[in-house]
Amino acid sequence: MEALTDGIFAISMTLLVLELKVPDAPKSISSHELLHKLGEEIPAFFSFFVSFIYCGLLWTLHHLAAHFFRHIQLGLAWLNLFFLMSIALLPFSCALLGHFLGNVAAEEIYFGNMLVAAVLLALQWQVATRKNLINEDDPQAAKDIGQKLLFFPPALAAAMLVTPYGSKAAFYAMAMVFVTLRIWQRKVLRKTKSPSPPPSS
Amino acid sequence: MEALTDGIFAISMTLLVLELKVPDAPKSISSHELLHKLGEEIPAFFSFFVSFIYCGLLWTLHHLAAHFFRHIQLGLAWLNLFFLMSIALLPFSCALLGHFLGNVAAEEIYFGNMLVAAVLLALQWQVATRKNLINEDDPQAAKDIGQKLLFFPPALAAAMLVTPYGSKAAFYAMAMVFVTLRIWQRKVLRKTKSPSPPPSS
Amino acid sequence: MEALTDGIFAISMTLLVLELKVPDAPKSISSHELLHKLGEEIPAFFSFFVSFIYCGLLWTLHHLAAHFFRHIQLGLAWLNLFFLMSIALLPFSCALLGHFLGNVAAEEIYFGNMLVAAVLLALQWQVATRKNLINEDDPQAAKDIGQKLLFFPPALAAAMLVTPYGSKAAFYAMAMVFVTLRIWQRKVLRKTKSPSPPPSS
Amino acid sequence: MEALTDGIFAISMTLLVLELKVPDAPKSISSHELLHKLGEEIPAFFSFFVSFIYCGLLWTLHHLAAHFFRHIQLGLAWLNLFFLMSIALLPFSCALLGHFLGNVAAEEIYFGNMLVAAVLLALQWQVATRKNLINEDDPQAAKDIGQKLLFFPPALAAAMLVTPYGSKAAFYAMAMVFVTLRIWQRKVLRKTKSPSPPPSS
């Protein structure tokens, strides 16, 4: 399943760029006007940027999580297939957002798509844990990944809740959770690196 | 051949999304109107959904089957090349169906394309069996895959037969076979897990 | 270099399908009219078919050849990069042919692109042979591949020469060489399988 | 990270071809006119050619560099994600340049995109060196790659500086650095092959 997953992520992430259109202007356009035209596409660049980083994070987490699966069982394979479908849909949601930035419906669809992907990824981990398919070689690292996976769904749910009150606020909400995630991550890592304080003799 | 196969599946499955077009509407469109516009694209979303799942199933079966091939022989390589061609054509058939859902010709082409893919995959297995190229390490699993591969062609043939009598009925026919497959699969798995009933003493 | 090569082949082969356009017709079109519209696209289907098979053959040969390279040296890497560029260009040449089938310039560009790819692949083998980079484990198989690689350039050169006298004749010329290749291949294989005729006592 | 990197490079390099459009002309166009139409697209072919070679070089260097990384650390993974984003953006910058060749803004964006990619790749190496993550098995080869990576940023910075004074001059500037790189590379390789001159007895 890894090869198909890698392929679909790579393609989805690269297809995001197809939403960035070369401005429809005469070839003799001045540099100033071209920059102005490109400036109008800033929403599309913004949604490309956010979506690419988001996909990159999900891919990394999926990759880390997959290393802990002892084997793939039928239920997990189906969850992964639906997960990949939500990833394959992202270029569409991203294009929708890039074209209609500020439109509540477009933004809800965009965050909704991301939420579904995050939930399906976290679910894979939960199912694997329940069915005892998680490799116990490095329980600390496994716990760490399991926790990280649970961070994404609330972040995106927050973004969806905030969207109707302001399209930018939703991104701030999501970003805040990412920063929180980062801080939390650091703390955990620091703890992990000094797990056993030297016994005072 | 695995790397090329994985790549072509991943790309075909992701290209399916290119058929979902961002609605051609002014940027100031209201959320309500945007949702309405997207609602008109439901046939395209539906054909994306069905095609993605179908490709995912075929990929999984191909992957499982390929593990049983002791080596690839010239005839198998050619069958696989034509199989990959039918997969690469799916985004086109899917787009056709998404655009003309309800049109008998579009639906027959769509199911026909899927049928050709399923037949070419089943044929690979048959040829490998005849030429004694199937690994005999796990005969039960090999038999299981061989049977599953034979389920797809009749399911799609049924869909093609039913299409002229109603475009939705064809999907029900195909879905029914999938459910049947699932039930049958379960039964076989249960039997496999308890293959030796305890001898009555 | 294998991973990049596999990826570029898989993508080029799948992008060929983007040239097949869903007919631009009202959604209420009849099945009969839809089939008629699709019939007008037969040249595009034909060029998809030929190009896909051609790419598949080149990929197989590249793959077989690459297994014989002991290591990749700078000159080979550059040749392979230009080879991949000619493969990445094929979807364009194929689209050109599909749109202007019968036009001498479009056909010469198409066959020319194929010829460049074939020459660059054959050159890789020649360079590797000269620089003594070919693995000598199976000299018979190595010789076999080296010969097959030399078949493509003349086939495509023949097609280019015949093109001005008739657009279909060029395809017949190419096809004839493929059939010849096939027959020759069979003979070699038969010889290989019975290399030592039993000595008459 | 290798699989995602390979995938994104392969797709970006192949998507470059999507910028080459089949001329919009009637199917009955003469060969002469078709060639004339294609001649107008020479800027697009030129930017396809330069971008493909550039991507191929960066991929090769990334690949060579990645083999020296003992393990991937969080900072490196983020740098690589931004690096991949700059690669995924290249088809857009390339299309912009192909459409507006000679326009200073388009050319600065194109070279700027390439510069960002080159800087992020060189940064990965610098970070890995600082954090002592470079495998010391072959220090000569490691040093060689580290030096090559530092060649790209100045070459592209030169192109960006020269662009306002002439759009072709910028390409000459970049090409000159590539030739310089090549000559320097050769010298280094020659030295490497005769590292220990026989001691005069």
Side-chain angles (χ1 to χ4, degrees):
Chain A
M1 215 68 181
E2 279 292 280
L4 192 69
T5 305
D6 290 345
I8 286 181
F9 264 97
I11 301 157
S12 282
M13 288 166 83
T14 326
L15 286 188
L16 294 171
V17 87
L18 293 186
E19 303 317 327
L20 304 177
K21 307 282 186 210
V22 171
D24 188 19
K27 300 213 174 209
S28 57
I29 195 174
S30 77
S31 286
H32 188 76
E33 286 168 316
L34 181 58
L35 287 175
H36 183 76
K37 284 263 184 188
L38 286 172
E40 288 169 7
E41 279 195 66
I42 281 176
F45 283 99
F46 177 74
S47 84
F48 169 79
F49 178 84
V50 172
S51 311
F52 196 95
I53 295 291
Y54 187 76
C55 278
L57 288 175
L58 280 194
W59 181 83
T60 308
L61 281 173
H62 184 278
H63 205 67
L64 290 172
H67 276 290
F68 279 93
F69 291 173
R70 252 177 285 174
H71 62 267
I72 302 293
Q73 166 252 25
L74 198 68
L76 281 182
W78 274 100
L79 277 177
N80 201 41
L81 191 57
F82 282 105
F83 170 65
L84 291 181
M85 198 194 284
S86 67
I87 296 298
L89 264 173
L90 261 184
F92 171 74
S93 306
C94 175
L96 202 68
L97 183 71
H99 198 75
F100 299 110
L101 192 69
N103 185 302
V104 172
E107 211 164 305
E108 292 288 15
I109 289 169
Y110 178 70
F111 287 125
N113 189 342
M114 280 173 156
L115 177 62
V116 168
V119 166
L120 287 167
L121 186 53
L123 254 177
Q124 287 186 53
W125 188 265
Q126 298 302 317
V127 167
T129 309
R130 293 267 159 83
K131 304 218 166 171
N132 213 18
L133 299 172
I134 304 289
N135 194 319
E136 297 287 349
D137 287 354
D138 187 347
Q140 179 64 40
K143 202 184 154 196
D144 182 55
I145 289 168
Q147 284 174 325
K148 277 186 201 165
L149 289 170
L150 290 178
F151 263 86
F152 283 80
L156 289 154
M160 285 185 80
L161 282 174
V162 172
T163 291
Y165 303 103
S167 86
K168 280 180 189 167
F171 282 98
Y172 292 141
M174 195 174 76
M176 263 177 59
V177 179
F178 276 126
V179 171
T180 313
L181 170 69
R182 198 77 195 75
I183 293 168
W184 172 84
Q185 215 177 27
R186 280 275 160 100
K187 280 189 183 162
V188 167
L189 282 176
R190 208 174 301 147
K191 275 188 201 158
T192 315
K193 279 180 180 162
S194 59
S196 52
S200 56
S201 61
Chain B
M1 215 68 181
E2 279 292 280
L4 193 69
T5 305
D6 290 344
I8 286 180
F9 264 96
I11 300 158
S12 281
M13 287 166 82
T14 324
L15 285 187
L16 293 172
V17 87
L18 293 186
E19 303 316 327
L20 304 176
K21 307 283 186 210
V22 171
D24 187 19
K27 299 213 174 207
S28 56
I29 195 174
S30 77
S31 286
H32 187 75
E33 286 168 316
L34 181 58
L35 287 175
H36 183 75
K37 284 263 183 188
L38 286 172
E40 288 170 7
E41 280 195 65
I42 281 177
F45 283 98
F46 177 74
S47 84
F48 169 80
F49 177 84
V50 172
S51 310
F52 196 95
I53 295 292
Y54 186 76
C55 277
L57 288 175
L58 280 194
W59 181 82
T60 308
L61 281 173
H62 184 278
H63 204 68
L64 290 171
H67 277 289
F68 279 93
F69 290 173
R70 251 177 286 173
H71 62 266
I72 302 292
Q73 165 252 24
L74 198 68
L76 282 182
W78 274 100
L79 277 177
N80 201 41
L81 190 57
F82 283 105
F83 171 65
L84 291 181
M85 199 194 284
S86 67
I87 297 298
L89 264 173
L90 261 184
F92 171 74
S93 306
C94 174
L96 202 69
L97 183 71
H99 199 75
F100 299 109
L101 193 70
N103 184 302
V104 172
E107 212 164 305
E108 292 288 16
I109 289 169
Y110 178 70
F111 288 125
N113 189 343
M114 281 172 154
L115 177 61
V116 168
V119 166
L120 286 168
L121 186 53
L123 254 178
Q124 288 185 54
W125 188 265
Q126 298 302 317
V127 167
T129 308
R130 293 267 159 82
K131 303 219 168 171
N132 212 20
L133 298 172
I134 304 288
N135 194 319
E136 297 286 351
D137 287 355
D138 188 347
Q140 179 63 41
K143 202 182 153 197
D144 182 56
I145 289 168
Q147 284 174 326
K148 278 187 200 164
L149 288 170
L150 290 178
F151 263 86
F152 283 79
L156 289 154
M160 285 185 81
L161 282 175
V162 173
T163 291
Y165 304 103
S167 85
K168 281 181 188 166
F171 282 97
Y172 292 141
M174 194 173 75
M176 264 177 59
V177 179
F178 276 125
V179 171
T180 312
L181 170 70
R182 197 77 195 75
I183 293 168
W184 172 84
Q185 215 176 27
R186 280 274 161 101
K187 280 189 182 163
V188 166
L189 282 174
R190 207 175 300 147
K191 274 188 202 158
T192 314
K193 279 179 180 163
S194 59
S196 51
S200 56
S201 59
Chain C
M1 214 70 181
E2 279 292 279
L4 192 69
T5 305
D6 289 344
I8 286 181
F9 264 97
I11 301 158
S12 282
M13 288 165 83
T14 324
L15 286 188
L16 294 172
V17 87
L18 293 187
E19 303 316 327
L20 305 176
K21 307 283 185 210
V22 171
D24 188 18
K27 300 213 173 206
S28 56
I29 194 174
S30 77
S31 287
H32 188 75
E33 286 167 317
L34 181 58
L35 286 175
H36 183 75
K37 284 262 184 190
L38 286 172
E40 288 169 8
E41 280 196 64
I42 282 177
F45 283 98
F46 177 74
S47 84
F48 169 79
F49 177 83
V50 173
S51 310
F52 196 94
I53 295 292
Y54 187 75
C55 277
L57 288 175
L58 279 194
W59 181 83
T60 308
L61 281 174
H62 183 278
H63 205 66
L64 291 171
H67 277 290
F68 279 94
F69 290 172
R70 253 179 283 174
H71 62 267
I72 303 292
Q73 166 251 24
L74 198 68
L76 281 182
W78 274 100
L79 277 176
N80 200 42
L81 191 58
F82 283 105
F83 171 65
L84 292 181
M85 198 194 285
S86 67
I87 296 299
L89 265 173
L90 261 184
F92 170 75
S93 306
C94 174
L96 201 69
L97 183 72
H99 198 75
F100 299 109
L101 193 68
N103 183 303
V104 173
E107 212 164 305
E108 292 287 16
I109 289 169
Y110 179 70
F111 288 125
N113 189 344
M114 280 172 154
L115 176 61
V116 167
V119 166
L120 286 168
L121 186 53
L123 254 177
Q124 288 186 54
W125 187 264
Q126 298 303 316
V127 167
T129 309
R130 293 268 160 80
K131 303 219 167 172
N132 212 19
L133 298 172
I134 304 290
N135 194 319
E136 296 287 351
D137 286 355
D138 188 346
Q140 179 64 41
K143 202 182 154 196
D144 181 55
I145 290 167
Q147 284 174 326
K148 277 187 201 163
L149 288 170
L150 290 178
F151 263 86
F152 284 78
L156 289 154
M160 285 186 80
L161 282 174
V162 172
T163 291
Y165 303 103
S167 84
K168 279 180 189 167
F171 282 97
Y172 292 141
M174 197 173 75
M176 263 177 58
V177 179
F178 277 124
V179 171
T180 312
L181 171 70
R182 197 76 195 77
I183 293 168
W184 172 83
Q185 216 177 27
R186 279 276 160 100
K187 279 190 185 164
V188 167
L189 283 174
R190 207 175 300 147
K191 274 188 203 158
T192 313
K193 278 177 179 164
S194 58
S196 52
S200 57
S201 59
Chain D
M1 214 70 182
E2 279 292 280
L4 192 69
T5 304
D6 289 345
I8 287 182
F9 264 96
I11 301 157
S12 280
M13 288 166 84
T14 325
L15 286 188
L16 294 172
V17 87
L18 293 186
E19 303 316 327
L20 305 176
K21 309 281 185 209
V22 171
D24 186 18
K27 300 213 173 207
S28 56
I29 195 174
S30 77
S31 286
H32 188 75
E33 286 168 316
L34 181 58
L35 287 175
H36 183 75
K37 285 261 184 191
L38 286 173
E40 288 169 7
E41 280 196 65
I42 282 177
F45 283 99
F46 177 73
S47 83
F48 169 79
F49 178 84
V50 172
S51 310
F52 196 95
I53 295 291
Y54 187 76
C55 277
L57 288 176
L58 279 194
W59 180 83
T60 308
L61 280 173
H62 183 277
H63 204 67
L64 291 172
H67 277 290
F68 279 93
F69 291 173
R70 252 178 284 173
H71 62 267
I72 302 293
Q73 167 252 24
L74 198 69
L76 282 182
W78 273 100
L79 277 177
N80 200 42
L81 191 57
F82 283 105
F83 171 65
L84 291 181
M85 198 194 286
S86 67
I87 296 299
L89 265 173
L90 261 184
F92 170 74
S93 306
C94 175
L96 201 69
L97 184 71
H99 199 75
F100 299 110
L101 193 69
N103 184 303
V104 173
E107 212 164 305
E108 292 287 15
I109 288 169
Y110 178 69
F111 287 125
N113 189 344
M114 281 172 154
L115 177 61
V116 168
V119 166
L120 287 167
L121 186 53
L123 254 178
Q124 289 186 53
W125 188 265
Q126 298 302 317
V127 167
T129 309
R130 293 267 159 82
K131 304 218 166 172
N132 213 16
L133 299 171
I134 304 290
N135 194 319
E136 297 287 349
D137 286 355
D138 188 346
Q140 179 64 40
K143 202 181 153 197
D144 182 55
I145 289 168
Q147 285 175 325
K148 277 186 200 164
L149 288 170
L150 290 178
F151 263 86
F152 284 78
L156 289 154
M160 285 185 80
L161 282 174
V162 172
T163 291
Y165 304 104
S167 85
K168 280 180 190 167
F171 282 97
Y172 292 141
M174 197 174 74
M176 264 177 59
V177 179
F178 277 125
V179 171
T180 312
L181 171 70
R182 198 78 195 76
I183 293 168
W184 172 84
Q185 216 177 27
R186 280 276 161 99
K187 280 189 182 164
V188 167
L189 283 174
R190 207 175 302 145
K191 275 189 201 156
T192 314
K193 279 179 180 163
S194 59
S196 52
S200 57
S201 59

